[in-house]
Amino acid sequence: MDVRSLSAVQNYGAAKPATQPDPESGGAGAQIKTAFQDFAATLQRGEETAMAAMTGDADPHALVQALAQTELAVETAITVRNKVVEAYQEILRMPV
């Protein structure tokens, strides 16, 4: 048995948690999970306010405010997505 293969297996075992973040550990996984939950909640509030405004249960000011918050959340998500795609493309362009 080769000693280097044992070392590679140990190194892989040590690096594996970095590729599978645990949202419960309080690290970056938890922050990402919270951000996605906030995004979904903002979209849900916007939809609920829009439906309430259509039935006459919400005032126009609340509708405009909810739509502005939803628009800002979507634009932020698109910007983050674009940055992730750009970073991925930069990684692909790196020489091996």
Side-chain angles (χ1 to χ4, degrees), residues 2-20:
D2 189 18
V3 175
R4 287 178 287 181
S5 66
L6 290 175
S7 177
V9 169
Q10 291 170 347
N11 289 338
Y12 175 74
K16 191 171 183 177
T19 61
Q20 298 174 347

PDB file of all heavy atoms in Angstrom, residues 2-20:
ATOM      1  N   ASP A   2       0.513   2.189  -0.838  1.00  0.00           N
ATOM      2  CA  ASP A   2       1.302   3.402  -0.991  1.00  0.00           C
ATOM      3  C   ASP A   2       0.905   4.414   0.087  1.00  0.00           C
ATOM      4  O   ASP A   2      -0.277   4.671   0.328  1.00  0.00           O
ATOM      5  CB  ASP A   2       1.051   3.980  -2.378  1.00  0.00           C
ATOM      6  CG  ASP A   2       2.000   5.121  -2.682  1.00  0.00           C
ATOM      7  OD1 ASP A   2       3.037   5.231  -1.994  1.00  0.00           O
ATOM      8  OD2 ASP A   2       1.696   5.894  -3.607  1.00  0.00           O
ATOM      9  N   VAL A   3       1.893   5.029   0.711  1.00  0.00           N
ATOM     10  CA  VAL A   3       1.655   6.001   1.763  1.00  0.00           C
ATOM     11  C   VAL A   3       1.015   7.263   1.197  1.00  0.00           C
ATOM     12  O   VAL A   3       0.179   7.901   1.841  1.00  0.00           O
ATOM     13  CB  VAL A   3       2.984   6.339   2.496  1.00  0.00           C
ATOM     14  CG1 VAL A   3       2.769   7.425   3.510  1.00  0.00           C
ATOM     15  CG2 VAL A   3       3.555   5.106   3.136  1.00  0.00           C
ATOM     16  N   ARG A   4       1.373   7.631  -0.041  1.00  0.00           N
ATOM     17  CA  ARG A   4       0.806   8.832  -0.653  1.00  0.00           C
ATOM     18  C   ARG A   4      -0.700   8.710  -0.872  1.00  0.00           C
ATOM     19  O   ARG A   4      -1.435   9.685  -0.755  1.00  0.00           O
ATOM     20  CB  ARG A   4       1.501   9.135  -1.972  1.00  0.00           C
ATOM     21  CG  ARG A   4       2.910   9.683  -1.765  1.00  0.00           C
ATOM     22  CD  ARG A   4       3.554   9.901  -3.068  1.00  0.00           C
ATOM     23  NE  ARG A   4       3.896   8.557  -3.605  1.00  0.00           N
ATOM     24  CZ  ARG A   4       4.495   8.314  -4.733  1.00  0.00           C
ATOM     25  NH1 ARG A   4       4.835   9.308  -5.502  1.00  0.00           N
ATOM     26  NH2 ARG A   4       4.778   7.103  -5.121  1.00  0.00           N
ATOM     27  N   SER A   5      -1.174   7.492  -1.180  1.00  0.00           N
ATOM     28  CA  SER A   5      -2.615   7.332  -1.376  1.00  0.00           C
ATOM     29  C   SER A   5      -3.363   7.527  -0.068  1.00  0.00           C
ATOM     30  O   SER A   5      -4.469   8.067  -0.048  1.00  0.00           O
ATOM     31  CB  SER A   5      -2.929   5.958  -1.970  1.00  0.00           C
ATOM     32  OG  SER A   5      -2.598   4.937  -1.045  1.00  0.00           O
ATOM     33  N   LEU A   6      -2.785   7.111   1.027  1.00  0.00           N
ATOM     34  CA  LEU A   6      -3.412   7.350   2.331  1.00  0.00           C
ATOM     35  C   LEU A   6      -3.483   8.844   2.617  1.00  0.00           C
ATOM     36  O   LEU A   6      -4.475   9.346   3.142  1.00  0.00           O
ATOM     37  CB  LEU A   6      -2.647   6.640   3.440  1.00  0.00           C
ATOM     38  CG  LEU A   6      -2.730   5.116   3.451  1.00  0.00           C
ATOM     39  CD1 LEU A   6      -1.828   4.564   4.533  1.00  0.00           C
ATOM     40  CD2 LEU A   6      -4.151   4.667   3.659  1.00  0.00           C
ATOM     41  N   SER A   7      -2.444   9.544   2.279  1.00  0.00           N
ATOM     42  CA  SER A   7      -2.417  10.979   2.501  1.00  0.00           C
ATOM     43  C   SER A   7      -3.476  11.677   1.647  1.00  0.00           C
ATOM     44  O   SER A   7      -4.141  12.598   2.118  1.00  0.00           O
ATOM     45  CB  SER A   7      -1.036  11.538   2.180  1.00  0.00           C
ATOM     46  OG  SER A   7      -1.024  12.933   2.318  1.00  0.00           O
ATOM     47  N   ALA A   8      -3.640  11.239   0.408  1.00  0.00           N
ATOM     48  CA  ALA A   8      -4.634  11.839  -0.469  1.00  0.00           C
ATOM     49  C   ALA A   8      -6.041  11.585   0.073  1.00  0.00           C
ATOM     50  O   ALA A   8      -6.891  12.474   0.054  1.00  0.00           O
ATOM     51  CB  ALA A   8      -4.501  11.297  -1.881  1.00  0.00           C
ATOM     52  N   VAL A   9      -6.276  10.378   0.571  1.00  0.00           N
ATOM     53  CA  VAL A   9      -7.585  10.064   1.134  1.00  0.00           C
ATOM     54  C   VAL A   9      -7.855  10.913   2.370  1.00  0.00           C
ATOM     55  O   VAL A   9      -8.949  11.447   2.555  1.00  0.00           O
ATOM     56  CB  VAL A   9      -7.683   8.558   1.471  1.00  0.00           C
ATOM     57  CG1 VAL A   9      -8.925   8.255   2.290  1.00  0.00           C
ATOM     58  CG2 VAL A   9      -7.663   7.737   0.201  1.00  0.00           C
ATOM     59  N   GLN A  10      -6.838  11.086   3.192  1.00  0.00           N
ATOM     60  CA  GLN A  10      -7.002  11.917   4.384  1.00  0.00           C
ATOM     61  C   GLN A  10      -7.244  13.377   4.004  1.00  0.00           C
ATOM     62  O   GLN A  10      -8.082  14.052   4.604  1.00  0.00           O
ATOM     63  CB  GLN A  10      -5.775  11.800   5.284  1.00  0.00           C
ATOM     64  CG  GLN A  10      -5.643  10.435   5.938  1.00  0.00           C
ATOM     65  CD  GLN A  10      -4.298  10.250   6.632  1.00  0.00           C
ATOM     66  OE1 GLN A  10      -3.384  11.035   6.420  1.00  0.00           O
ATOM     67  NE2 GLN A  10      -4.200   9.204   7.438  1.00  0.00           N
ATOM     68  N   ASN A  11      -6.522  13.855   3.011  1.00  0.00           N
ATOM     69  CA  ASN A  11      -6.711  15.237   2.564  1.00  0.00           C
ATOM     70  C   ASN A  11      -8.108  15.437   1.975  1.00  0.00           C
ATOM     71  O   ASN A  11      -8.740  16.467   2.206  1.00  0.00           O
ATOM     72  CB  ASN A  11      -5.650  15.633   1.537  1.00  0.00           C
ATOM     73  CG  ASN A  11      -4.290  15.783   2.166  1.00  0.00           C
ATOM     74  OD1 ASN A  11      -4.169  15.996   3.365  1.00  0.00           O
ATOM     75  ND2 ASN A  11      -3.254  15.653   1.353  1.00  0.00           N
ATOM     76  N   TYR A  12      -8.583  14.451   1.228  1.00  0.00           N
ATOM     77  CA  TYR A  12      -9.935  14.546   0.672  1.00  0.00           C
ATOM     78  C   TYR A  12     -10.966  14.563   1.792  1.00  0.00           C
ATOM     79  O   TYR A  12     -11.907  15.354   1.767  1.00  0.00           O
ATOM     80  CB  TYR A  12     -10.215  13.376  -0.276  1.00  0.00           C
ATOM     81  CG  TYR A  12     -11.626  13.360  -0.793  1.00  0.00           C
ATOM     82  CD1 TYR A  12     -12.030  14.270  -1.764  1.00  0.00           C
ATOM     83  CD2 TYR A  12     -12.566  12.469  -0.297  1.00  0.00           C
ATOM     84  CE1 TYR A  12     -13.330  14.285  -2.232  1.00  0.00           C
ATOM     85  CE2 TYR A  12     -13.864  12.483  -0.753  1.00  0.00           C
ATOM     86  CZ  TYR A  12     -14.244  13.381  -1.724  1.00  0.00           C
ATOM     87  OH  TYR A  12     -15.532  13.384  -2.170  1.00  0.00           O
ATOM     88  N   GLY A  13     -10.774  13.710   2.779  1.00  0.00           N
ATOM     89  CA  GLY A  13     -11.693  13.673   3.913  1.00  0.00           C
ATOM     90  C   GLY A  13     -11.713  14.990   4.672  1.00  0.00           C
ATOM     91  O   GLY A  13     -12.755  15.438   5.155  1.00  0.00           O
ATOM     92  N   ALA A  14     -10.555  15.643   4.769  1.00  0.00           N
ATOM     93  CA  ALA A  14     -10.487  16.926   5.464  1.00  0.00           C
ATOM     94  C   ALA A  14     -11.130  18.042   4.644  1.00  0.00           C
ATOM     95  O   ALA A  14     -11.685  18.984   5.206  1.00  0.00           O
ATOM     96  CB  ALA A  14      -9.036  17.268   5.765  1.00  0.00           C
ATOM     97  N   ALA A  15     -11.067  17.951   3.316  1.00  0.00           N
ATOM     98  CA  ALA A  15     -11.608  19.007   2.459  1.00  0.00           C
ATOM     99  C   ALA A  15     -13.088  18.817   2.146  1.00  0.00           C
ATOM    100  O   ALA A  15     -13.743  19.755   1.717  1.00  0.00           O
ATOM    101  CB  ALA A  15     -10.828  19.065   1.154  1.00  0.00           C
ATOM    102  N   LYS A  16     -13.627  17.652   2.363  1.00  0.00           N
ATOM    103  CA  LYS A  16     -15.008  17.370   2.003  1.00  0.00           C
ATOM    104  C   LYS A  16     -16.021  18.305   2.678  1.00  0.00           C
ATOM    105  O   LYS A  16     -16.937  18.775   2.019  1.00  0.00           O
ATOM    106  CB  LYS A  16     -15.353  15.916   2.298  1.00  0.00           C
ATOM    107  CG  LYS A  16     -16.668  15.496   1.723  1.00  0.00           C
ATOM    108  CD  LYS A  16     -16.866  14.016   1.854  1.00  0.00           C
ATOM    109  CE  LYS A  16     -18.178  13.640   1.202  1.00  0.00           C
ATOM    110  NZ  LYS A  16     -18.412  12.221   1.226  1.00  0.00           N
ATOM    111  N   PRO A  17     -15.884  18.648   3.947  1.00  0.00           N
ATOM    112  CA  PRO A  17     -16.859  19.578   4.540  1.00  0.00           C
ATOM    113  C   PRO A  17     -16.899  20.940   3.853  1.00  0.00           C
ATOM    114  O   PRO A  17     -17.924  21.615   3.897  1.00  0.00           O
ATOM    115  CB  PRO A  17     -16.402  19.714   5.984  1.00  0.00           C
ATOM    116  CG  PRO A  17     -15.632  18.471   6.261  1.00  0.00           C
ATOM    117  CD  PRO A  17     -14.983  18.115   4.952  1.00  0.00           C
ATOM    118  N   ALA A  18     -15.826  21.359   3.222  1.00  0.00           N
ATOM    119  CA  ALA A  18     -15.811  22.655   2.543  1.00  0.00           C
ATOM    120  C   ALA A  18     -16.699  22.642   1.309  1.00  0.00           C
ATOM    121  O   ALA A  18     -17.231  23.672   0.913  1.00  0.00           O
ATOM    122  CB  ALA A  18     -14.381  23.022   2.151  1.00  0.00           C
ATOM    123  N   THR A  19     -16.882  21.481   0.689  1.00  0.00           N
ATOM    124  CA  THR A  19     -17.715  21.395  -0.504  1.00  0.00           C
ATOM    125  C   THR A  19     -19.175  21.149  -0.169  1.00  0.00           C
ATOM    126  O   THR A  19     -20.030  21.279  -1.024  1.00  0.00           O
ATOM    127  CB  THR A  19     -17.223  20.273  -1.437  1.00  0.00           C
ATOM    128  OG1 THR A  19     -17.302  19.026  -0.742  1.00  0.00           O
ATOM    129  CG2 THR A  19     -15.810  20.541  -1.896  1.00  0.00           C
ATOM    130  N   GLN A  20     -19.465  20.780   1.066  1.00  0.00           N
ATOM    131  CA  GLN A  20     -20.832  20.537   1.493  1.00  0.00           C
ATOM    132  C   GLN A  20     -21.091  21.300   2.786  1.00  0.00           C
ATOM    133  O   GLN A  20     -21.046  20.745   3.872  1.00  0.00           O
ATOM    134  CB  GLN A  20     -21.061  19.039   1.729  1.00  0.00           C
ATOM    135  CG  GLN A  20     -20.868  18.199   0.498  1.00  0.00           C
ATOM    136  CD  GLN A  20     -20.958  16.724   0.807  1.00  0.00           C
ATOM    137  OE1 GLN A  20     -20.934  16.301   1.944  1.00  0.00           O
ATOM    138  NE2 GLN A  20     -21.051  15.927  -0.233  1.00  0.00           N
TER     139      GLN A  20
END
